[in-house]
Amino acid sequence: MAGHSAVRGDRFSLVDGARSSLKKGAKYQYYPISPPQNDKYNPTRPSQYNLDDLPIRTENRYWDTIGKLSAASSKAQTNAIVRETGIVRMPLASASTAFVHPSFFPLDPFHLFFENIMPFIWDIWTTQSTPDEEVHLSKDMAEKLGQLVADGKKTLPPVFCGPVRNPHLKRQSQYKAYEWMALLYWYILPIGIELEMESSVLRNFAKLVEIVDFAMTIKPRSEDEIQDLQKRINHFLIEYEQVYVGNDPEKIWRCRLRIFQLVHVPMHIRWYGSIRLGSQATVERTIGEAGHKIHSTKSPFANMANIFYEKELIKALILYYPQLESKQMPRNRPILFGKIKIMAMEVKEGEPLYHQVQEIFRTVKGLGRFDPTSINSRWGKCRLSNGIVLSSALSEATGDKSKRSRCHFEAKIDGIDQPVFGKALAFFAIKKTNEHVVVYHRLVKMQKTLNIWRGMWSEKLDVLDVTQIVNVIGTWAYGKNVYPLRKHPGHEWISDEEKGIEIDEDGEDFQWAD
């Protein structure tokens, strides 16, 4: 393919590129849907494209083009075919019996969403727009937003990713994919809401977040769901053009191919399933892991061949003998650890522990008359069924206060449609009823804005069985407003190194609760 700078640089469709200037040499490399002043700036291009009926490339047309290129008798004739089709030559990959055009080279979601689209939009907001535009983020607001992102690391669990740096200061310092992920999923919307960013820009960005979240979540999808995704993408692209281009043809350059590629995401889901399956991250991680295992300096290639041979041999053996595969046995319930001794003065009336035990007696059935000394098994941490450690405010107060907090959680309670978010204060093992519970503050007055939850911490104590805890979450707070941050679906597909996680902070010495 001729690439993004070609007139037809989209490798999945025959949509013509557009130019954003009347200057000599201006390239037709942008992909607006209905550009302003089209007759003047792009007279040979259709004035509007129907996103539901794009001219998708086909294999037959591809091979016809390859035939024409082979038969071309001059360089000028070849260049004319390349300009017309966007195809330069037959690739080496066509030797594969699996080669089918255009589906052989899928979109790479990690590069598209997080390393192309996100930096591009950030740059438009901060450096490639003027102060009189609604999409512009002033220097003061960009500084404040960036600082709030950096400050947010205190309540972003270390198991999520490494610290997210200030994008205003570190944008040009190899800002990493996981940091762009964090901005997309966790920080731009809540911070934008609190700083009162332009509402039209935030609404459009919220649609992008929904699209990426849907695409990156691996689960079965019905045709109706995929069609609904297509509608959402179409609405996003049309609105994006209205917000970022408007009536100014000189801003058509903001309709880069990276933005237009979103329109093909539903098609990829039909082809492959989740778009995550087209990720280069998996391949790069496998190559990296193999590289770390090569220890021979004399014969590194032979060493590498043996590593891959052994890996494939193990796969084949497991296919023949599935019982050889070691499977982690699921736990029946989460496990409490990190026992915290209860002091005599803590059970006196008015002390925090006194009220916590009092709430346990109110909530847990079968404990009888209230006795603050009857529950003497208190714990600081809980290893959830998924293996992730949830700490408590008590354990974090007595430990290293410079560490990032991981005492916030999401729970599922029968009969409640909304998710339940809480801040764990302490864990207790109740021998009489054989229950493990958490005393926590609950997020109340919850509402959804731009499809993200926001609430306030209740001062009231609540008690919950730890088996109802779904996962650890992060939080971002501004004043009394608290935004829960869920682990995003692209997280599992990148290595700890790629997530900026340097050490495993969950490797404590355990003293288990019975």
Side-chain angles (χ1 to χ4, degrees), residues 353-374:
L353 178 63
Y354 180 91
H355 295 298
Q356 291 173 7
V357 175
Q358 194 174 46
E359 189 59 35
I360 291 173
F361 269 81
R362 285 199 194 101
T363 306
V364 179
K365 296 179 180 178
L367 292 182
R369 181 179 294 181
F370 172 61
D371 178 5
T373 63
S374 63

Side-chain angles (χ1 to χ4, degrees), residues 304-511:
M304 180 178 67
N306 288 333
I307 290 169
F308 283 116
Y309 175 77
E310 289 174 4
K311 191 171 184 178
E312 294 305 312
L313 183 62
I314 291 170
K315 284 183 180 178
L317 282 171
I318 289 173
L319 288 174
Y320 277 105
Y321 306 104
Q323 63 271 25
L324 293 176
E325 187 173 15
S326 60
K327 294 183 179 179
Q328 187 176 4
M329 296 299 292
R331 296 190 180 95
N332 292 326
R333 67 177 184 179
I335 298 173
L336 306 185
F337 67 96
K339 194 167 188 177
I340 299 176
K341 186 178 179 180
I342 295 176
M343 310 300 289
M345 62 177 296
E346 290 186 89
V347 297
K348 293 182 179 179
E349 187 172 356
E351 293 294 323
L353 178 63
Y354 180 91
H355 295 298
Q356 291 173 7
V357 175
Q358 194 174 46
E359 189 59 35
I360 291 173
F361 269 81
R362 285 199 194 101
T363 306
V364 179
K365 296 179 180 178
L367 292 182
R369 181 179 294 181
F370 172 61
D371 178 5
T373 63
S374 63
I375 297 178
N376 54 15
S377 182
R378 180 176 62 177
W379 305 81
K381 298 177 184 179
C382 175
R383 184 173 288 276
L384 304 178
S385 297
N386 60 10
I388 294 177
V389 172
L390 172 67
S391 66
S392 63
L394 181 63
S395 67
E396 291 180 356
T398 56
D400 183 357
K401 295 182 181 179
S402 66
K403 284 188 175 182
R404 290 152 61 188
S405 176
R406 48 180 173 172
C407 66
H408 304 97
F409 64 87
E410 179 179 354
K412 176 63 179 174
I413 299 177
D414 292 339
I416 299 179
D417 294 332
Q418 283 188 348
V420 173
F421 301 107
K423 178 179 181 179
L425 302 178
F427 302 96
F428 296 87
I430 306 172
K431 290 186 178 180
K432 188 172 183 179
T433 59
N434 193 30
E435 292 180 70
H436 293 172
V437 300
V438 58
V439 178
Y440 70 103
H441 286 309
R442 186 168 173 175
L443 199 65
V444 296
K445 297 182 180 178
M446 284 175 52
Q447 58 181 331
K448 250 188 175 181
T449 304
L450 298 180
N451 207 38
I452 58 173
W453 289 106
R454 177 175 69 180
M456 299 180 180
W457 290 125
S458 170
E459 295 182 0
K460 178 180 175 294
L461 295 176
D462 278 290
V463 175
L464 186 71
D465 193 295
V466 293
T467 58
Q468 294 176 292
I469 297 175
V470 176
N471 212 340
V472 173
I473 63 166
T475 61
W476 183 81
Y478 192 82
K480 291 185 177 181
N481 290 333
V482 179
Y483 296 82
L485 311 177
R486 288 163 159 159
K487 206 172 183 181
H488 55 74
H491 181 269
E492 294 85 357
W493 280 57
I494 55 178
S495 66
D496 285 349
E497 183 180 1
E498 291 167 323
K499 287 182 284 194
I501 298 175
E502 297 180 357
I503 58 173
D504 180 8
E505 298 194 30
D506 295 337
E508 296 93 342
D509 293 327
F510 300 137
Q511 179 188 3

Side-chain angles (χ1 to χ4, degrees), residues 106-109 272 274-281 493:
L107 291 171
D108 176 13
Y272 306 109
S274 171
I275 196 172
R276 275 166 49 174
L277 299 178
S279 170
Q280 292 179 21
W493 280 57

Side-chain angles (χ1 to χ4, degrees), residues 65 67-85 87-88:
T65 303
K68 291 177 182 178
L69 287 169
S70 300
S73 57
S74 66
K75 188 173 182 180
Q77 193 175 1
T78 299
N79 290 340
I81 296 171
V82 171
R83 281 195 302 272
E84 172 68 21
T85 65
I87 297 170
V88 178

Side-chain angles (χ1 to χ4, degrees), residues 106-310:
L107 291 171
D108 176 13
F110 284 93
H111 284 92
L112 177 64
F113 298 148
F114 309 119
E115 294 186 324
N116 290 334
I117 292 178
M118 270 304 300
F120 179 62
I121 290 178
W122 175 263
D123 288 343
I124 291 177
W125 290 349
T126 55
T127 61
Q128 297 178 358
S129 56
T130 55
D132 60 321
E133 294 184 75
E134 63 181 12
V135 301
H136 184 71
L137 204 61
S138 69
K139 183 180 178 182
D140 288 344
M141 186 173 285
E143 286 178 352
K144 194 168 186 179
L145 188 153
Q147 189 57 51
L148 289 172
V149 168
D151 292 343
K153 70 179 181 181
K154 297 172 185 175
T155 51
L156 186 67
V159 72
F160 276 30
C161 64
V164 181
R165 296 173 295 167
N166 182 333
H168 177 68
L169 298 178
K170 302 297 183 180
R171 163 66 181 97
Q172 304 302 331
S173 302
Q174 295 183 330
Y175 211 66
K176 299 183 184 299
Y178 82 84
E179 293 175 295
W180 291 117
M181 282 185 188
L183 292 185
L184 177 78
Y185 283 114
W186 298 327
Y187 291 122
I188 292 296
L189 287 178
I191 295 177
I193 290 169
E194 295 298 336
L195 296 185
E196 298 182 352
M197 279 178 63
E198 174 61 41
S199 59
S200 61
V201 175
L202 279 183
R203 282 197 304 271
N204 184 251
F205 189 82
K207 290 177 181 176
L208 174 63
V209 175
E210 289 183 46
I211 290 165
V212 174
D213 188 67
F214 182 100
M216 294 295 285
T217 301
I218 290 187
K219 63 180 292 187
R221 299 293 189 185
S222 67
E223 180 60 29
D224 287 343
E225 287 177 311
I226 296 174
Q227 288 179 3
D228 181 64
L229 174 64
Q230 187 72 66
K231 290 178 182 177
R232 280 190 274 172
I233 291 172
N234 293 355
H235 290 159
F236 165 78
L237 292 173
I238 292 169
E239 187 180 77
Y240 174 89
E241 194 169 314
Q242 292 169 348
V243 172
Y244 287 83
V245 177
N247 295 318
D248 189 349
E250 298 286 331
K251 293 174 184 172
I252 289 174
W253 64 267
R254 292 174 178 173
C255 297
R256 294 281 177 92
L257 182 58
R258 64 192 69 182
I259 301 292
F260 183 74
Q261 292 279 278
L262 289 170
V263 79
H264 301 311
V265 168
M267 182 169 66
H268 277 67
I269 294 175
R270 289 188 180 96
W271 285 345
Y272 306 109
S274 171
I275 196 172
R276 275 166 49 174
L277 299 178
S279 170
Q280 292 179 21
T282 309
V283 178
E284 291 170 357
R285 183 171 66 246
T286 302
I287 293 171
E289 289 172 352
H292 288 305
K293 293 177 181 177
I294 296 172
H295 300 298
S296 173
T297 55
K298 183 179 179 182
S299 305
F301 293 104
N303 190 185
M304 180 178 67
N306 288 333
I307 290 169
F308 283 116
Y309 175 77
E310 289 174 4

